[in-house]
Amino acid sequence: MDNCTTISDLFPKGKKTYLVNGVSTTGWFSVDYNSIDLTNVTLLRAILSRTNRFDGSFTLVQVEVALSQYKAPAWLNVQHDSFYSQFNLSMRSYILSMSKQYTVDYISSPEVSFLKSLVGRVGRKTKLVLRFLDEGLVEPSTNQTYGSILKNLSSIKTFASGILVPKHYIWPVTADNYLQPSTSVVDDAHKAGLEIYAADFANDFALSYNYSYDPLAEYLGFIDNGAFCVDGLLTDFPITPLEAIGCFSNLNNTKADHGAPLVISHNGASGDYPDCTDLAYQKAVQDGADVIDCDVQVTKDGIPICMSSIDLMDVTTVASSQFASQAGVISDIKAVAGVYTFNLTWEDIANNLKPMISNPFGQISLSRNPRNRNAGKFMRLSDFLAFAKGKKLSGIMITVEHASFMAEKLGFGVVDAVIKAVDDSGYSKQSAQKVMIQSTNSSTLVKFKQLAKYNLVYKIDEVVKDAAPSSLADIKKFADAASVSIKSVYPESSNFLINQTNPLVKSLQSAGLPVYVYLLMNEFFSQPYDFFSDATSQINALVHKGGEGGGVDGLITDFPGTAHRYKLNSCRNMGDKTPYYMLPPQRGGLVGVIQDKAALPPAMAPEPVLTVSDVAEPPLPPVSNTTAPAPSHAPVEVSVSIPITAAVLVLCASLLI
């Protein structure tokens, strides 16, 4: 009991060692205490990666209490009958007593002899289920490994109606956590007349990389894969399989739908491949993105390319290349040393460097697609435009930052360069795909508005609760839409949603500005606990109109496939008939469950309101040359002397269901 309760605090001398299924095990055991002893024992998280703010808030729940208070179908699992029998405790007698007082729908156990002892003694509607442990472990009553028992499913039918297996029995994974071909165990069980349930699901575990950190995709792999379907799922997060079963099975994932919410990629499908590479863009289109994106930077020889950071140290292998010695600090950009896109020519980058996949949560071992960490080719802006043209997209989005720096320090007009590239690609002569330009700088968007007819998106790069009417009027002068951070839509403290609804989205929309929210990621660590480690639950809340919903018009995401699939779900537009698991969480609802006031997240400081002074900027400085200066151009001021000629680089930018 010591791994999930406070028993060691209450009984510090209670540690003992017993044989459990033949294995010497040390800890605190329930057999040494009566119900009075356990009155003040409270529960702790058993998985240390989860929040500790609920620790000590809840006492142990007796089986009788759970069965009487909760009217859902009941599943009782008896894990250690042979252990309890050493202390003259009969789990058989206890279960038979419970089944006479309460309706018990399922009884499972990993022990064959225990299940056999119940045959004919429980109600006809009660299903007995053999629970399989890892293949190499020995079942105590038959002295056979579970792997051996699995080979004789017909014998199980004599005492059980189903089997419960770890999910890897069905979808095994490689040593580096990629899926192998599925086994035949589901079909074998069904042919033997057995139901089969899959276990060990949790949204905050390390899923196979094939699922792109999307737990709903994993559940669909067990119920909607075109080959087989399990009969049940045992999970720590029941909301996600409920979504999968009720709203996301049997969808046509190839359907093109450019309606709201608009799905905008962030550096392509950068959750699966290195940012802004050909593979990332191909995956984004394949996954159903409505808009693919590219951020703009500058190379030494004036070749526009797509790159998600102006500092090559962030997104390429430059640190291990011959160019690493060129690292220097440019205070206008960042305070630490970097090798910048304008330090190298296109040929230097394309022929000598490899892309490097982004890993925003690599420090907690949530790495992205390691087999493809350096896969793909860098893209010039012309390559990006040529690739996007003719695809089933509603548009492209080009993000432009550092325009003032480029003009003033490098003598390069990035606005003019982007307009020329778009014109040269033929985008100005077509209407099938709109051209969107995004920037955090109003001066950049003002310049674009003066020179071209694009859809301009103002990115609000700070967390704000609202926008003052004067700032809205100012934004309307140069922008057609706005992008805002998730925390501006759903304020949070210490990863818990707080009981606060910001009017920002409605204010922007009332001013005629569609709102796109950034940045969505599938990794559970990116989501407040209120979304139950489920990216789809977060998307649903952000998009939902009215009530607790965010009501946004578009989603900017590293994983466009997850957002596109959401648009196809069968539970949208159901009004009052929307299932409860497809409703947004109550803001502040989960934090309200914390009983220990000392464990509450800290109160948040009030978020600011966006004002005119936040939006207004002086015009972009003039550019002396519209082409890249000669190599003799004065070097940019860095901490080491690096001669630089200007050029442009495009930056890409536990319940059973």
Side-chain angles (χ1 to χ4, degrees):
M1 297 177 67
D2 53 314
N3 72 323
C4 58
T5 75
T6 57
I7 194 163
S8 62
D9 296 329
L10 297 176
F11 300 96
K13 297 182 180 180
K15 182 186 289 188
K16 292 188 178 180
T17 300
Y18 293 120
L19 283 178
V20 181
N21 291 347
V23 178
S24 179
T25 306
T26 299
W28 281 256
F29 297 84
S30 60
V31 294
D32 295 320
Y33 307 94
N34 59 40
S35 59
I36 303 300
D37 295 331
L38 299 177
T39 301
N40 294 320
V41 174
T42 56
L43 298 170
L44 303 175
R45 55 184 174 148
I47 298 173
L48 295 181
S49 61
R50 295 174 180 173
T51 181
N52 64 350
R53 295 184 184 274
F54 298 104
D55 285 358
S57 294
F58 303 98
T59 57
L60 304 179
V61 179
Q62 294 184 356
V63 175
E64 295 90 332
V65 174
L67 293 178
S68 62
Q69 289 188 359
Y70 304 101
K71 303 305 180 182
W75 182 304
L76 298 181
N77 181 66
V78 179
Q79 195 75 3
H80 298 294
D81 174 62
S82 59
F83 171 74
Y84 291 117
S85 66
Q86 300 175 45
F87 302 90
N88 296 319
L89 297 172
S90 173
M91 293 302 297
R92 173 178 171 273
S93 298
Y94 177 75
I95 292 296
L96 291 176
S97 174
M98 286 297 100
S99 64
K100 290 177 181 178
Q101 299 177 60
Y102 306 98
T103 300
V104 179
D105 300 271
Y106 302 87
I107 299 172
S108 63
S109 176
E111 299 185 18
V112 171
S113 60
F114 173 72
L115 293 175
K116 286 183 175 180
S117 73
L118 297 179
V119 173
R121 293 179 173 85
V122 295
R124 292 182 179 180
K125 293 184 179 180
T126 300
K127 295 182 178 182
L128 302 181
V129 178
L130 178 62
R131 181 169 192 167
F132 280 75
L133 305 181
D134 283 346
E135 295 95 322
L137 294 178
V138 175
E139 192 282 318
S141 64
T142 63
N143 203 33
Q144 297 182 60
T145 65
Y146 288 98
S148 299
I149 296 173
L150 190 68
K151 297 176 182 178
N152 190 12
L153 292 176
S154 59
S155 66
I156 298 174
K157 182 63 177 173
T158 62
F159 62 86
S161 62
I163 59 174
L164 174 63
V165 300
K167 63 184 181 181
H168 72 261
Y169 272 47
I170 300 170
W171 282 105
V173 297
T174 61
D176 59 347
N177 205 27
Y178 286 86
L179 288 180
Q180 298 185 59
S182 61
T183 69
S184 63
V185 65
V186 175
D187 287 340
D188 294 343
H190 287 159
K191 288 177 182 177
L194 295 168
E195 293 182 338
I196 180 168
Y197 311 93
D200 299 344
F201 291 94
N203 293 359
D204 57 356
F205 287 175
L207 309 181
S208 166
Y209 294 115
N210 300 75
Y211 299 123
S212 300
Y213 288 101
D214 181 353
L216 196 149
E218 181 181 38
Y219 290 112
L220 290 174
F222 286 80
I223 66 168
D224 186 32
N225 59 42
F228 60 80
C229 177
V230 299
D231 300 289
L233 301 156
L234 196 64
T235 174
D236 287 8
F237 293 85
I239 186 174
T240 309
L242 284 170
E243 295 166 352
I245 295 167
C247 306
F248 288 89
S249 57
N250 301 312
L251 299 181
N252 179 9
N253 286 320
T254 63
K255 180 182 177 182
D257 178 2
H258 294 317
L262 200 66
V263 177
I264 305 170
S265 76
H266 178 249
N267 307 322
S270 56
D272 293 303
Y273 291 100
D275 298 2
C276 305
T277 56
D278 58 340
L279 296 180
Y281 289 128
Q282 290 167 19
K283 185 71 160 59
V285 172
Q286 174 188 331
D287 285 348
D290 300 307
V291 176
I292 59 174
D293 69 304
C294 177
D295 291 345
V296 178
Q297 304 299 339
V298 59
T299 63
K300 189 175 182 179
D301 56 342
I303 306 297
I305 71 172
C306 294
M307 191 71 65
S308 66
S309 174
I310 194 171
D311 183 1
L312 295 169
M313 301 281 273
D314 294 336
V315 290
T316 76
T317 56
V318 71
S320 58
S321 75
Q322 67 267 40
F323 304 112
S325 60
Q326 296 195 33
V329 174
I330 301 180
S331 58
D332 288 337
I333 298 176
K334 60 195 299 188
V336 297
V339 178
Y340 296 95
T341 55
F342 48 79
N343 293 152
L344 306 182
T345 67
W346 163 242
E347 293 297 327
D348 290 337
I349 295 171
N351 295 335
N352 298 283
L353 305 183
K354 291 182 179 180
M356 189 168 63
I357 200 167
S358 60
N359 277 308
F361 305 106
Q363 73 277 13
I364 56 171
S365 300
L366 294 180
S367 299
R368 292 177 171 178
N369 197 2
R371 286 186 181 177
N372 291 283
R373 62 169 58 93
N374 300 119
K377 297 178 181 179
F378 298 114
M379 298 274 280
R380 293 170 294 189
L381 178 57
S382 58
D383 299 327
F384 169 81
L385 294 170
F387 169 80
K389 197 173 181 181
K391 297 294 189 297
K392 293 182 178 180
L393 298 167
S394 64
I396 58 171
M397 185 162 75
I398 298 173
T399 298
V400 179
E401 304 293 351
H402 310 295
S404 180
F405 171 85
M406 293 181 191
E408 186 174 4
K409 301 293 186 179
L410 305 178
F412 189 86
V414 64
V415 173
D416 294 327
V418 169
I419 292 173
K420 183 178 186 303
V422 171
D423 287 345
D424 289 347
S425 70
Y427 261 89
S428 301
K429 300 177 182 178
Q430 58 86 50
S431 58
Q433 295 180 12
K434 62 182 177 182
V435 177
M436 305 166 71
I437 304 292
Q438 178 181 243
S439 182
T440 59
N441 298 119
S442 60
S443 57
T444 299
L445 296 180
V446 167
K447 185 70 172 179
F448 272 106
K449 190 173 183 67
Q450 293 170 351
L451 300 177
K453 294 183 178 181
Y454 300 145
N455 187 274
L456 304 177
V457 182
Y458 181 52
K459 182 178 181 180
I460 302 172
D461 61 350
E462 59 181 315
V463 176
V464 295
K465 65 181 180 182
D466 200 2
S470 55
S471 68
L472 291 171
D474 201 21
I475 294 171
K476 280 288 292 181
K477 293 176 182 177
F478 60 82
D480 305 291
S483 53
V484 304
S485 72
I486 291 176
K487 290 184 179 181
S488 291
V489 181
Y490 275 101
E492 64 176 77
S493 176
S494 298
N495 226 28
F496 285 88
L497 297 184
I498 63 172
N499 187 17
Q500 175 180 315
T501 302
N502 288 347
L504 176 65
V505 173
K506 289 185 177 179
S507 295
L508 289 165
Q509 291 171 337
S510 296
L513 297 165
V515 178
Y516 312 133
V517 66
Y518 67 89
L519 171 64
L520 277 75
M521 294 179 277
N522 283 0
E523 290 94 341
F524 66 86
F525 207 73
S526 70
Q527 301 136 15
Y529 297 118
D530 304 69
F531 298 121
F532 299 107
S533 303
D534 179 357
T536 298
S537 177
Q538 183 182 42
I539 290 170
N540 182 57
L542 288 166
V543 170
H544 195 88
K545 304 288 185 181
E548 301 283 348
V552 302
D553 303 289
L555 307 162
I556 300 175
T557 173
D558 285 356
F559 297 88
T562 302
H564 170 72
R565 185 191 58 213
Y566 172 79
K567 295 171 65 170
L568 305 179
N569 86 79
S570 59
C571 295
R572 295 188 69 194
N573 306 315
M574 292 182 68
D576 293 340
K577 296 182 179 180
T578 301
Y580 70 91
Y581 48 82
M582 290 297 288
L583 295 174
Q586 178 185 352
R587 296 171 189 254
L590 192 59
V591 77
V593 179
I594 300 174
Q595 298 182 10
D596 182 1
K597 292 185 177 180
L600 289 170
M604 282 184 56
E607 295 155 330
V609 172
L610 190 73
T611 65
V612 169
S613 62
D614 298 316
V615 177
E617 294 178 347
L620 290 179
V623 180
S624 57
N625 297 308
T626 55
T627 58
S632 60
H633 183 69
V636 175
E637 292 181 6
V638 296
S639 62
V640 294
S641 180
I642 304 175
I644 298 174
T645 53
V648 175
L649 188 77
V650 181
L651 169 69
C652 294
S654 287
L655 182 66
L656 185 96
I657 303 304

